[in-house]
Amino acid sequence: MALPENILIVGGGVFGLSTALSLSNRHPNSKITLLESSPTIPNPHGSSVDTSRIIRADYSNLTYAKLASEAVDLWRTTEWGHEGRYTQNGLLLVYPNGNSTAKEYTTKSYHNVKGLGEDAQFLPTKKDVLSAAPAYGETLNVAGGYVNWSSGWADAEAGVRFAKERLDKEGKVKFRTGEVARLLLGSGDNKTVEGVILKDTNKTTITADLVILATGAWTASLVDLRGRAVSTGQAIAYMRISDEEQKRLENMPTILNFATGIFIIPPRHNLLKIARHAYGYHNPKAVPVPGTSDNKVEETMHVSLPEKGVPIPLEGERAFRDALAQLLPTFAEREFVDTRICWYTDTPKGDFIITPHPSHPHLFLATGGSGHAYKFFPLIGEKVVDALEGNLAPELQELWKWPEAVEESAFGGTEDGSRSGEKKLHLMEELAKGRKLKRAAAL
């Protein structure tokens, strides 16, 4: 199927770069522009830029497990995983006593990856878990789990840089820098998208026959996604470790506890990362309802949007301390040298949104990563182009279609069995609580 001549991709993260690679190779006659808010790619504030991301086929949903298995194979066997961009160290999934949801997710994942021929080993007891990862001590609070030695992790920033360098070398995609204020719509009541308007002083417009929004956690400010997607902040922290500790931990499998959402990826360069896959923090902001900014009376809405450059709240730090006391007790009180908030674009069931917008002709969405899109980097662009051409596999088309809206007041984040923690925590409120406690402790 022929695509429009002039295509604009907004966003230079996983979805945007992967789509640009596939689109430029499959439709070389199209004029493709990629617009990124940051003057550099990787964007230092992007959710795709970090020390590491888990690369796994371990899903309770078989469709995602199959697709991830294809992606993992590309990380293993192609340039995507070369030069240290991919490390196959295994993934240890565990659950504690009394958590049926975590146990069910883990069990389904195990059977899926075994059926796909992955090198997975069932670990029915705590003793079995420790035999697979002896660096974790007897304080480990688990009832069982499994280890998949076919899984691994990727150097997240290096992967983004690799994709950008490939595009630069091929020279088929034009890059521009600018932050989008809103979509450029047709005149009157016309909802057709004709491009974007930037936030610069001149309100620069960039026109296109097709606009692809790959804007991740910022998408909610450009398209009304209330009840369909919410931006959530996830806690990440780093600590320095010794050479001896590095040697002891560097070949351990990544550990992921679906009951707490806590995961630890083996350290590199004496830096240990601990993170949490949870319901996350919300950061409500008042923004214009997309498509109404030209009206005399501007409508506004409150949506959660990313906040740059803030540390993790005390609530998140305490969760990490508790997890370290169980996993690596000698590290439980060690200072964190850095913390950050990573922003997810969570959908109700954790499914991506890869579809034309139902109300805005010439607008296509490639977003809704829900904290698990990075592993698909080598192939997600191919699936986006399949969808643009109308050739996406039916099972993926069903998962990634424009989602039905859920009750917004009850929408706390993704409900796919892999999340943990309290729902709908407000980032600024949690940060204020931490500051108040610190002031009280200083008195």
Side-chain angles (χ1 to χ4, degrees):
M1 172 178 156
L3 294 184
E5 179 182 349
N6 184 8
I7 301 174
L8 174 65
I9 300 170
V10 185
V14 167
F15 282 105
L17 292 172
S18 188
T19 297
L21 283 166
S22 299
L23 198 56
S24 61
N25 286 317
R26 288 168 58 173
H27 293 270
N29 294 326
S30 292
K31 175 187 173 184
I32 302 166
T33 301
L34 191 150
L35 176 67
E36 166 57 42
S37 61
S38 168
T40 62
I41 297 177
N43 181 338
H45 298 291
S47 61
S48 304
V49 180
D50 190 13
T51 54
S52 51
R53 284 290 185 275
I54 298 174
I55 305 297
R56 61 182 172 100
D58 305 82
Y59 282 90
S60 64
N61 182 309
L62 184 57
T63 300
Y64 280 113
K66 289 179 178 178
L67 187 65
S69 183
E70 292 180 40
V72 174
D73 191 56
L74 292 173
W75 283 107
R76 292 190 195 114
T77 61
T78 71
E79 279 189 294
W80 280 95
H82 292 178
E83 299 176 332
R85 287 186 289 271
Y86 174 69
T87 300
Q88 186 168 317
N89 64 302
L91 174 64
L92 177 63
L93 293 98
V94 297
Y95 56 86
N97 282 309
N99 192 308
S100 59
T101 301
K103 182 177 181 180
E104 180 182 5
Y105 190 101
T106 304
T107 303
K108 285 183 178 179
S109 296
Y110 170 74
H111 288 297
N112 282 342
V113 294
K114 283 295 287 186
L116 292 170
E118 301 265 315
D119 182 14
Q121 176 187 357
F122 187 59
L123 306 169
T125 69
K126 175 179 175 177
K127 181 179 178 181
D128 295 315
V129 170
L130 289 175
S131 71
Y136 300 114
E138 288 293 331
T139 54
L140 188 66
N141 178 24
V142 298
Y146 77 91
V147 63
N148 182 1
W149 296 110
S150 301
S151 297
W153 63 275
D155 182 327
E157 183 175 350
V160 173
R161 185 173 291 107
F162 168 73
K164 174 62 164 60
E165 289 173 351
R166 271 187 58 179
L167 286 166
D168 288 341
K169 184 177 180 180
E170 293 171 1
K172 301 176 185 177
V173 173
K174 178 183 178 181
F175 287 87
R176 291 189 63 171
T177 300
E179 188 174 355
V180 174
R182 56 188 174 90
L183 299 174
L184 175 64
L185 303 181
S187 59
D189 294 330
N190 187 353
K191 293 186 176 182
T192 299
V193 172
E194 299 180 348
V196 298
I197 301 173
L198 303 187
K199 286 185 178 179
D200 59 21
T201 55
N202 297 321
K203 295 185 178 180
T204 302
T205 61
I206 302 175
T207 59
D209 302 317
L210 173 66
V211 174
I212 301 172
L213 286 186
T215 39
W218 284 266
T219 310
S221 65
L222 303 174
V223 176
D224 191 347
L225 292 175
R226 286 174 291 180
R228 294 181 171 89
V230 61
S231 299
T232 63
Q234 308 291 330
I236 299 175
Y238 303 89
M239 61 174 55
R240 291 287 176 193
I241 62 174
S242 68
D243 291 342
E244 185 277 328
E245 291 164 339
Q246 169 71 39
K247 185 176 181 181
R248 176 164 60 93
L249 296 172
E250 62 187 359
N251 295 317
M252 286 293 104
T254 297
I255 186 167
L256 172 57
N257 185 338
F258 276 133
T260 64
I262 301 293
F263 61 94
I264 297 177
I265 294 178
R268 288 294 181 269
H269 310 299
N270 299 87
L271 194 66
L272 181 72
K273 170 185 171 180
I274 180 169
R276 184 172 63 179
H277 185 66
Y279 289 109
Y281 305 109
H282 290 214
N283 187 40
K285 299 281 188 180
V287 298
V289 175
T292 66
S293 56
D294 289 329
N295 296 344
K296 292 181 180 179
V297 179
E298 185 174 87
E299 297 178 48
T300 60
M301 61 181 182
H302 281 82
V303 294
S304 180
L305 292 174
E307 191 76 26
K308 299 177 183 177
V310 295
I312 65 172
L314 184 60
E315 179 274 339
E317 183 174 341
R318 284 173 171 169
F320 286 161
R321 298 293 180 197
D322 291 344
L324 287 167
Q326 295 176 8
L327 298 171
L328 297 167
T330 58
F331 295 174
E333 300 302 322
R334 189 171 302 186
E335 177 187 6
F336 292 128
V337 295
D338 188 26
T339 68
R340 63 171 291 192
I341 301 290
C342 176
W343 290 93
Y344 287 3
T345 315
D346 282 339
T347 60
K349 297 180 181 178
D351 296 321
F352 306 152
I353 303 175
I354 299 179
T355 184
H357 193 285
S359 304
H360 291 294
H362 302 176
L363 177 64
F364 190 93
L365 281 82
T367 187
S370 300
H372 70 106
Y374 190 96
K375 65 183 66 64
F376 299 103
F377 205 166
L379 58 70
I380 195 64
E382 291 294 307
K383 304 306 177 185
V384 172
V385 178
D386 286 346
L388 286 166
E389 295 174 345
N391 297 320
L392 187 64
E395 63 272 20
L396 295 177
Q397 187 175 349
E398 179 63 24
L399 286 174
W400 299 343
K401 66 184 180 182
W402 180 253
E404 293 291 331
V406 300
E407 178 60 41
E408 191 180 3
S409 61
F411 185 20
T414 293
E415 298 286 0
D416 65 352
S418 71
R419 299 304 177 92
S420 70
E422 191 174 340
K423 296 181 181 179
K424 301 189 80 169
L425 291 173
H426 281 207
L427 176 62
M428 291 307 174
E429 291 178 4
E430 293 302 318
L431 287 170
K433 287 178 186 177
R435 289 192 295 268
K436 182 177 180 180
L437 287 172
K438 287 180 180 179
R439 286 197 300 268
L443 294 177

